[in-house]
């Protein structure tokens, strides 16, 4: 049985009077794609910001490779191997692809000068490994399509060699062709053993590349299902009803089909 790379247990978060997360659990296995779904204000992004160190939890525990951890910042989460790519890509439009991939850690020579050629070679190697097609790593990001920009953002996250990659609505506002490119890239990450948490409102995409899907509603865990054992209609019903149907039908209880570690999550 494969051990979870990440376990979140009974995570709580308040924003003033708003109880955003209510005892949420989540497990992620190495090399799997876990879809994270729910309606607006379900708590999906909040839970992932807790995992990535962007905001602190008010309660609960996070385990990374079985050891308890606490992240005071995204840098601390990154040091452990957790990266998050936000919906706005967080790229610098006036810099080229190579500069964006290694933003904040450009290689230098002589202790002073930026080694542009070394940076470009490393960027080319990264993009080739991920099978990301770009005209040149010296092209400024502002000239790229939405799909290519998203791929560069993912490549930047993967350049840190993470064990866990969180993607927040990576195909939002992308064309069908660009969406296919990004989803293909995410599916390929399984071969590198990266665990991916995919926040998405598009169930067809989760079912296309996901291994499991977890549902949140109003800050509570509703259910986790294996994709191969579920249907889009069933997951949509869970999103809408908040699991009331599952509660009245033991065969469809929230933890049915959740995997060997009975995971629950956002």
């Amino acid at each position: 049985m494969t051990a979870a790379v990440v376990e979140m247990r009974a995570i709580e978060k308040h924003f003033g009077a708003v109880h955003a997360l209510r005892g949420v659990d989540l497990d992620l296995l190495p090399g799997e794609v876990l879809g994270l779904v729910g309606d607006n204000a379900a708590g999906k992004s909040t839970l992932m910001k807790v995992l990535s160190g962007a905001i602190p939890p008010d309660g609960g525990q996070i385990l990374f490779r079985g050891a308890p951890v606490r992240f005071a910042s995204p840098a601390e989460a990154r040091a452990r191997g957790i990266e998050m790519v936000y919906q706005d890509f967080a790229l610098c439009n006036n810099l080229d692809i190579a500069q964006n991939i290694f933003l904040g850690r450009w290689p230098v020579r002589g202790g002073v000068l930026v080694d542009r050629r070394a940076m470009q070679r490393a960027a080319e190697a990264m993009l080739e490994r991920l099978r990301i097609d770009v005209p040149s790593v010296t092209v400024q990001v502002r000239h790229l399509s939405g799909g290519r920009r998203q791929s560069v953002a993912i490549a930047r996250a993967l350049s840190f060699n993470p064990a866990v990659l969180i993607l927040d609505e990576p195909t939002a506002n992308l064309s069908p062709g660009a969406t296919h490119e990004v989803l293909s890239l995410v599916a390929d990450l399984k071969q590198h053993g990266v665990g991916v948490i995919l926040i998405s409102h598009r169930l067809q995409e989760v079912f296309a590349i996901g291994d499991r899907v977890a549902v949140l509603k109003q800050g509570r865990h509703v259910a986790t299902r294996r994709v191969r054992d579920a249907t889009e209609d069933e997951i949509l019903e869970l999103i809408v009803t908040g699991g009331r149907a599952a509660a009245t039908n033991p065969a469809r209880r929230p933890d049915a089909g959740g995997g060997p570690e009975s995971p629950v999550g956002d």
Side-chain angles (χ1 to χ4, degrees):
M1 185 181 298
T2 303
V5 63
V6 161
E7 301 170 71
M8 304 182 78
R9 294 288 173 253
I11 300 298
E12 296 277 340
K13 186 63 187 178
H14 292 81
F15 295 103
V18 178
H19 198 171
L21 297 174
R22 302 168 182 259
V24 177
D25 295 347
L26 183 78
D27 290 71
L28 179 69
L29 301 177
E32 80 163 339
V33 176
L34 174 67
L36 198 55
V37 302
D39 54 15
N40 292 336
K44 305 182 300 296
S45 293
T46 299
L47 185 65
M48 291 300 96
K49 287 177 181 178
V50 168
L51 179 57
S52 64
I55 58 176
D58 295 323
Q61 185 180 47
I62 300 174
L63 302 177
F64 185 79
R65 301 194 191 280
V69 293
R70 291 189 66 86
F71 302 134
S73 69
E76 291 188 5
R78 172 176 292 153
R80 286 281 187 166
I82 299 173
E83 280 287 331
M84 183 166 180
V85 178
Y86 291 93
Q87 198 169 337
D88 61 0
F89 306 154
L91 298 174
C92 296
N93 288 331
N94 62 324
L95 299 180
D96 64 33
I97 293 173
Q99 290 170 323
N100 269 281
I101 289 177
F102 295 101
L103 190 64
R105 53 206 170 98
W106 293 347
V108 297
R109 63 176 186 272
V112 178
L113 299 176
V114 175
D115 192 339
R116 293 184 178 274
R117 188 55 198 148
M119 181 167 59
Q120 291 164 5
R121 285 196 300 267
E124 289 167 352
M126 169 64 68
L127 297 177
E128 182 178 359
R129 179 170 71 90
L130 298 173
R131 295 189 291 180
I132 298 174
D133 182 29
V134 296
S136 170
V137 296
T138 61
V139 172
Q140 288 189 344
V141 164
R142 63 182 175 182
H143 298 304
L144 300 178
S145 66
R148 294 271 177 83
R149 287 165 57 84
Q150 181 64 275
S151 294
V152 170
I154 293 174
R156 180 179 187 276
L158 292 174
S159 70
F160 290 96
N161 296 314
V164 175
L165 178 64
I166 305 163
L167 301 175
D168 190 357
E169 298 284 0
T171 63
N173 304 316
L174 296 186
S175 68
T179 294
H180 176 73
E181 289 182 15
V182 171
L183 293 180
S184 295
L185 173 57
V186 174
D188 286 344
L189 296 181
K190 294 182 183 181
Q191 301 176 14
H192 301 287
V194 180
V196 179
I197 300 176
L198 174 65
I199 302 174
S200 181
H201 66 280
R202 298 176 176 176
L203 290 182
Q204 66 272 27
E205 296 178 0
V206 172
F207 273 74
I209 64 172
D211 298 292
R212 291 186 295 135
V213 55
V215 184
L216 270 192
K217 187 173 182 67
Q218 296 178 343
R220 290 188 174 91
H221 172 256
V222 173
T224 297
R225 297 280 194 266
R226 294 188 185 93
V227 166
R228 67 173 181 266
D229 298 330
T231 66
E232 291 184 31
D233 286 344
E234 178 187 1
I235 299 303
L236 181 59
E237 181 181 354
L238 290 168
I239 292 172
V240 172
T241 67
R244 290 193 299 273
T248 59
N249 185 347
R252 300 175 63 191
R253 65 191 185 279
D255 62 344
E261 72 284 4
S262 296
V264 290
D266 186 1

